Amino acid sequence: MTLFDKKTIRDIDLSGKRVLLRADYNVPVQNGIISDDYRIKRSLQTLRYILEQPGTSIVIISHLGRPAGPQDMQFSLKPVAEHLSKLLGKKVDFASDCVGQETTQMANNLLPGGVLLCENLRFHPEEEKNTPEFAKQIAETSCAEVFVQDGFGVVHRAHASTDAITKFLPSVAGLLLAEEVETITKVMDNPEHPLIAVIGGVKISDKIEVLDRLMDIADCVAVTGAMANNFLLAQGTKVGKSIVEIEAVGTAEEILHKAHEVEKRRPFSFLVPADVVVSTKMDGTAGTRIVDLSSHSISDIESYPKLPRPTAYTVEPDEMILDIGPLSALHIAGVIKFCKTVIWNGPCGVTEVKGLAGAQNPFAHGTQIIADAMIGQSTKDKNRPYSLVGGGDTAAYVESQGLIDDFNFVSTGGGASLELMSGHQLPGVEALQDK
Ligand code: 3PG
Ligand code: MG
């Protein structure tokens, strides 16, 4: 049985065809410079496969960011066309719109082996509205005979380029899309135990459903990052001026309740940070200290063996929790070492903040410790667990550390991977032809 029941480009004859390909080239661009090209690199396998078939050419469509209007040029895909040319080792033409006569001509003039990237789909509001007429226009403009969906990061959206477009062209999956869906589904449906899920990031509201599913399948769930603050609050811990979603504290309570129920039924643990790193400022310009919420001693070692001062275990009103502390990080790392599978989604702290005068990022230690534990001593370490890493901020952190190849699978999808892990169907996948 295969986990992916949609047709892929391997199931159809592409020879001599012009292909309309939806990629997710929503990458960070600043002043024309792409700071993280993981999504572009991951799309190359599909592009190369198509170009290897005799007589093919490709028209690529994508969105970038959330532009406010049609001429919001900071969201132009032009830098992506240049970068893609370099990675692919061949010229990639760029069309300044995804519809219209000029682009139709460029698409029509593509020679076998030719590649054309069109400007940001979201310069047209009809894209996000999933307007059929707009999808039809895209299909006609591309002069293509087949549509290939390979933008895994965006298939959780029902947009013109993920949903409506499939009404106008025979539509199949690209290799990246198939690989993402198969890998994530396999781990969620049939994981090797013990399984730990480390869930972090800022917003708990994004993670509620995935936490719910993970409590059914994992042996341990560790919550970290700012979203863990909601669990601390639900437990009655003071969190100062840390980021919280007040309306979600009730949900955090429900999740804790479910966790306790699961703990009664079977071996399972739900880990909430026992210690945290705090500061009065998030930008790294103020001092940091460790607050030892549970054991009340490590962070006030001077007082030992006398009772620690209350500040040692209390987040002050003007302080913010910005990372998990070393006790929690090492606890999670220890569990990871015993596991056969790790699912990781969301950094444990504010990893991107730089320290003063080139010092190490002050709120990245927790994330570093658990990443190290996942990777093991080397990729040849037989005892290291299989690691599935969610896209978005987690993939960006892993990429920034040059560690992408050290994990087993790093997804290109943020919201899409969470939806899939939660067990939801993805509209952009559902719309494709069945096998
Ligand atoms: C993403 O990066 O999450 C995808 O490219 C989808 O973008 P969106 O969240 O703006 O729809
Ligand atoms: Mg998103």
Side-chain angles (χ1 to χ4, degrees), residues 110-182:
L110 276 179
L111 297 173
V115 181
L116 173 69
L117 174 66
C118 301
E119 185 56 286
N120 197 341
L121 289 157
R122 291 191 185 170
F123 282 177
H124 297 266
E126 297 92 331
E127 159 66 359
E128 287 172 82
K129 290 188 189 129
N130 198 12
T131 310
E133 295 74 34
F134 177 62
K136 187 163 182 247
Q137 255 183 306
I138 297 173
E140 284 169 3
T141 301
S142 70
C143 309
E145 294 140 277
V146 56
F147 172 68
V148 174
Q149 177 57 268
D150 209 31
F152 174 68
V154 72
V155 287
H156 60 311
R157 312 262 182 234
H159 289 173
S161 66
T162 58
D163 182 39
I165 189 80
T166 62
K167 310 280 187 297
F168 302 100
L169 285 170
S171 303
V172 302
L175 303 178
L176 173 64
L177 178 67
E179 189 189 349
E180 290 264 12
V181 175
E182 275 188 344

Side-chain angles (χ1 to χ4, degrees), residues 18 73 110 129 134 154 192 197 223 233 246 274 363 366 385 418:
R18 191 175 290 110
M73 293 318 278
L110 276 179
K129 290 188 189 129
F134 177 62
V154 72
E192 240 200 291
V223 291
L233 256 191
I246 285 297
F363 313 120
L418 281 173

Side-chain angles (χ1 to χ4, degrees), residues 147-433:
F147 172 68
V148 174
Q149 177 57 268
D150 209 31
F152 174 68
V154 72
V155 287
H156 60 311
R157 312 262 182 234
H159 289 173
S161 66
T162 58
D163 182 39
I165 189 80
T166 62
K167 310 280 187 297
F168 302 100
L169 285 170
S171 303
V172 302
L175 303 178
L176 173 64
L177 178 67
E179 189 189 349
E180 290 264 12
V181 175
E182 275 188 344
T183 306
I184 295 173
T185 310
K186 189 170 156 213
V187 173
M188 294 304 290
D189 288 358
N190 207 0
E192 240 200 291
H193 289 277
L195 160 65
I196 180 171
V198 182
I199 305 298
V202 181
K203 283 168 75 182
I204 185 178
S205 44
D206 291 346
K207 309 277 162 74
I208 291 165
E209 293 189 58
V210 81
L211 281 174
D212 199 57
R213 175 125 192 253
L214 287 168
M215 284 192 286
D216 294 331
I217 65 167
D219 302 285
C220 178
V221 172
V223 291
T224 69
M227 74 98 156
N229 299 341
N230 301 287
F231 291 98
L232 292 172
L233 256 191
Q235 287 177 336
T237 305
K238 292 196 177 99
V239 299
K241 59 175 171 112
S242 304
I243 297 174
V244 286
E245 286 169 77
I246 285 297
E247 63 289 350
V249 175
T251 311
E253 246 166 68
E254 283 164 29
I255 294 172
L256 286 174
H257 179 77
K258 172 165 172 175
H260 290 141
E261 292 302 307
V262 179
E263 277 168 357
K264 280 186 222 155
R265 266 201 326 269
R266 64 176 175 91
F268 172 76
S269 47
F270 191 88
L271 304 179
V272 177
D275 63 336
V276 289
V277 176
V278 300
S279 177
T280 53
K281 289 197 180 140
M282 201 190 278
D283 61 5
T285 58
T288 60
R289 65 183 194 103
I290 295 164
V291 177
D292 181 2
L293 302 165
S294 67
S295 78
H296 299 185
S297 58
I298 301 293
S299 56
D300 192 18
I301 203 77
E302 305 286 299
S303 306
Y304 191 79
K306 281 187 265 157
L307 279 182
R309 290 159 291 170
T311 46
Y313 51 84
T314 315
V315 179
E316 297 292 318
D318 62 339
E319 288 176 327
M320 265 176 284
I321 299 171
L322 297 167
D323 194 8
I324 55 172
L327 285 176
S328 308
L330 290 172
H331 186 174
I332 298 169
V335 178
I336 289 171
K337 294 278 182 204
F338 279 101
C339 283
K340 287 258 191 293
T341 311
V342 188
I343 295 173
W344 179 26
N345 204 311
C348 303
V350 191
T351 51
E352 62 279 10
V353 169
K354 297 265 180 293
L356 284 177
Q360 251 207 326
N361 304 27
F363 313 120
H365 299 292
T367 308
Q368 263 161 20
I369 289 169
I370 65 135
D372 280 353
M374 288 179 209
I375 293 168
Q377 300 303 318
S378 79
T379 44
K380 291 189 188 70
D381 181 350
K382 282 198 198 69
N383 293 319
R384 67 182 218 141
Y386 177 90
S387 48
L388 171 65
V389 181
D393 291 345
T394 329
Y397 171 78
V398 168
E399 166 78 15
S400 74
Q401 302 301 301
L403 296 175
I404 290 269
D405 295 334
D406 293 309
F407 291 87
N408 292 87
F409 191 81
V410 180
S411 176
T412 56
S417 63
L418 281 173
E419 289 281 320
L420 192 56
M421 285 180 183
S422 305
H424 294 165
Q425 293 197 324
L426 304 169
V429 174
E430 288 313 300
L432 303 176
Q433 287 185 357

